[in-house]
Amino acid sequence: MQIINRQVGDYVVRRCQPGDLIPVMEINLKTLPEHYSDYFYESLLAELPEAFLVAELNGKAVGYIMCKTEYGFSNFKKLGFVKKGHVVSVAVLDEHRKLGVGSAIIEESINGIKEKRCDELYLEVRCSNTDAVRLYEKLGFVIKQRLKAYYRDGEDAFLMAIEFEY
């Protein structure tokens, strides 16, 4: 049985299931230049199903977000070693953007990361992707640093992060 995390108009946001991985991979191929192995998707789903979500319309996947947890130095504290969430990939098909779907899947993944008691959540985003940067800022993320030549094509990324208070 699938549990709906959130409804946005006719769109449903829910946890990803193993049967969703092929449509998720297809969305990734259509929307992003970074691609991953089948095993990578499977391992993230197994590790953190609370923050691996799909958005669907009429039973068809139109967006996803997948995250992982790790331990490392805080993006906020000078000497902090913390448990943090990492947004590995998030995408919404072009024709379903600007409808609140992206916000909904990110917000629900934040809830999943908080369930795992992470201190913060971070992501990398292309500096040229101003729509995404604005969306993340609206959701509470702040730009922490610029990562030079982060992507394979040489483009810089912003490292953006949000800190949680419990």
Side-chain angles (χ1 to χ4, degrees), residues 69-81:
T69 57
E70 54 198 45
Y71 291 89
F73 291 107
S74 172
N75 290 300
F76 294 92
K77 297 173 183 68
K78 271 273 191 265
L79 295 170
F81 198 71

Side-chain angles (χ1 to χ4, degrees), residues 143-159:
I143 295 172
K144 299 306 287 182
Q145 69 184 98
R146 186 180 190 116
L147 306 171
K148 294 286 185 199
Y150 179 80
Y151 292 100
R152 262 189 233 136
D153 63 7
E155 186 173 350
D156 294 355
F158 288 127
L159 184 140

